[in-house]
Amino acid sequence: MENRKKVAFYTLGCKLNFSETSTIARNFQDEGFDRVDFEEVADMYVINTCSVTENADKQFKQVVKKAMKLNNQAFVAAVGCYAQLKPEELAAVDGVDLVLGATEKFKITDYINDLSKNDMGEVHSCEIADADFYVGSYSIGDRTRAFLKVQDGCDYKCTYCTIPLARGISRSDELENVLKNAYEISKQDIKEIVLTGVNIGDYGKGEFGNKKHEHTFLELVQALDKVEGIERLRISSIEPNLLKNETIEFVSKSRTFVPHFHIPLQSGSNDILKLMKRRYQREVYTERVNKIREVMPHACIGVDVIVGFPGETDEHFLETYHFLNDMDISYLHVFTYSERDNTEAANMGGVVPANVRAKRSKMMRSLSVKKRRAFYESQLGTNRTVLFESENKEGYIHGFTENYVKVKTPWNPELVNTLHPINLTKIDEDGSVRLEFLATLV
């Protein structure tokens, strides 16, 4: 039998990237490659890049170095957002042979011939205006949950963001195809699906980004709720202006959708929201949180916030801090603003010094710890259902309740990927919650 080539993958960034890496990996397997772990020797390494994180180039170089250490003759390909935005920069990194932009990444197997190393990285990246077709994907790496992509790209013009430059216009998968993918996932004994995309509340714009909405996000959620064999569905990040009351109400009564929302705020100051070109004011955010609390008092609400945006004075920052402190939310994802090429914000005045950004970030992170603790305390004594994960961490197995409380109990391999009704008893030193089993779900 001929010697089959081995390929390994490394994903930087978001859940959407993970779902796309999985799909690209399946294409390789269809072409006769064997997928191996990134820590192993492979003939080819594929790195799915991210443009959002700080030090994207530094992270990328470290991953390439790691691959070259494992096999200095391996063929290295860079795909994804950073590859679209700065292809020449990535191509110049020592060891990189191929750089593919937004539309090319799903056709990667068309671009590789004999896997021999190139003197200089070869670049194939489109004009981002050409990224107007949709490629559906989902990830099945972790047995417990899968990320299902339903939408890609974004039509918003937020002044700090490069995603529209990296991923193109907003476009969606057809409803039938999303349901087909969800059904395929359900057959793999995966208990939870996380819906993912760049701007999932905008779901419904056609495959080519035409502006007519074929279906709404609410219709998507209603249809997915009927797919047999899925125990849990989770909505990942959704814009406050696109999270409608009807959707919140539907989730509160739904069979499978869990009471967990992640809603980007970015700033609690209307002045800064305007500078960011966000499509809502803070009052809308308050309405959404109040609505969720009204119909799902036990829901988990996560918030994205950016600190140190140009023009953010101490007063603006404190406005955001107090706004979040007073609000009944569960945790924060804190981003320290960093300049991005080709964004409006990069040329704005009122630049906040790096040390001030760091201080604000630290304050917000402390607030997040406090909020998560208060949320967990509010859940003690309640009965929930936990889905256990597959890792043995220092003799314990962890899992998440439907409303995203992280729990732990002594390791038992039989619990992996199973759902159990539990009572939340106390908070452990590491911040996770201890439990008592109530009975066993089949």
Side-chain angles (χ1 to χ4, degrees), residues 219-409:
E219 287 167 342
L220 169 74
V221 165
Q222 288 168 330
L224 280 166
D225 197 45
K226 298 190 181 104
V227 176
E228 290 298 321
I230 297 164
E231 304 284 343
R232 281 183 177 182
L233 282 152
R234 206 177 282 278
I235 298 169
S236 67
S237 192
I238 183 165
E239 294 283 306
N241 49 309
L242 296 174
L243 178 57
K244 303 288 187 248
N245 283 346
E246 298 80 29
T247 305
I248 295 170
E249 278 168 12
F250 180 78
V251 168
S252 75
K253 303 184 184 77
S254 133
R255 181 179 72 90
T256 51
F257 276 90
V258 295
H260 176 205
F261 294 87
H262 193 93
I263 315 167
L265 169 69
Q266 312 309 18
S267 175
S269 157
N270 283 340
D271 295 346
I272 299 296
L273 287 173
K274 202 177 272 177
L275 284 174
M276 291 175 164
K277 291 195 177 164
R278 300 292 285 158
R279 297 196 176 193
Y280 54 86
Q281 294 201 305
R282 66 188 233 158
E283 289 73 17
V284 169
Y285 202 89
T286 307
E287 280 169 28
R288 294 296 174 271
V289 171
N290 291 346
K291 179 67 187 174
I292 293 168
R293 286 281 164 248
E294 179 199 318
V295 294
M296 288 171 274
H298 60 295
C300 180
I301 302 174
V303 184
D304 285 343
V305 62
I306 295 172
V307 298
F309 189 79
E312 184 186 64
T313 61
D314 285 346
E315 289 74 24
H316 290 132
F317 170 71
L318 288 171
E319 204 183 337
T320 299
Y321 186 90
H322 294 308
F323 179 69
L324 287 166
N325 191 32
D326 295 343
M327 197 176 284
D328 191 359
I329 52 140
S330 317
Y331 64 89
L332 303 171
H333 279 174
V334 183
F335 298 90
T336 305
Y337 172 75
S338 65
E339 285 75 6
R340 290 281 177 265
D341 291 346
N342 304 315
T343 59
E344 236 181 285
N347 303 315
M348 286 180 180
V351 173
V352 178
N355 62 328
V356 177
R357 295 185 209 186
K359 188 176 144 203
R360 289 178 186 171
S361 174
K362 200 171 168 186
M363 277 179 73
M364 277 297 180
R365 287 175 207 278
S366 300
L367 180 62
S368 180
V369 170
K370 188 179 116 180
K371 285 286 182 186
R372 194 185 295 270
R373 176 92 192 185
F375 173 61
Y376 281 9
E377 280 174 358
S378 75
Q379 296 304 298
L380 294 179
T382 63
N383 293 346
R384 298 279 167 242
T385 303
V386 63
L387 172 58
F388 285 107
E389 312 213 319
S390 54
E391 218 180 321
N392 180 345
K393 288 185 186 163
E394 296 169 2
Y396 287 94
I397 186 168
H398 290 78
F400 284 94
T401 62
E402 65 275 31
N403 61 340
Y404 214 56
V405 173
K406 188 178 187 183
V407 302
K408 69 188 270 196
T409 197

Side-chain angles (χ1 to χ4, degrees), residues 78-85 87 98-107 111 123-126 128 131 166:
V79 302
C81 292
Y82 203 66
Q84 174 66 34
L85 292 173
L98 179 66
V99 179
L100 297 181
T103 59
E104 291 77 15
K105 64 188 170 193
F106 293 107
K107 303 182 287 213
Y111 289 98
V123 173
H124 297 275
S125 77
C126 63
I128 197 60

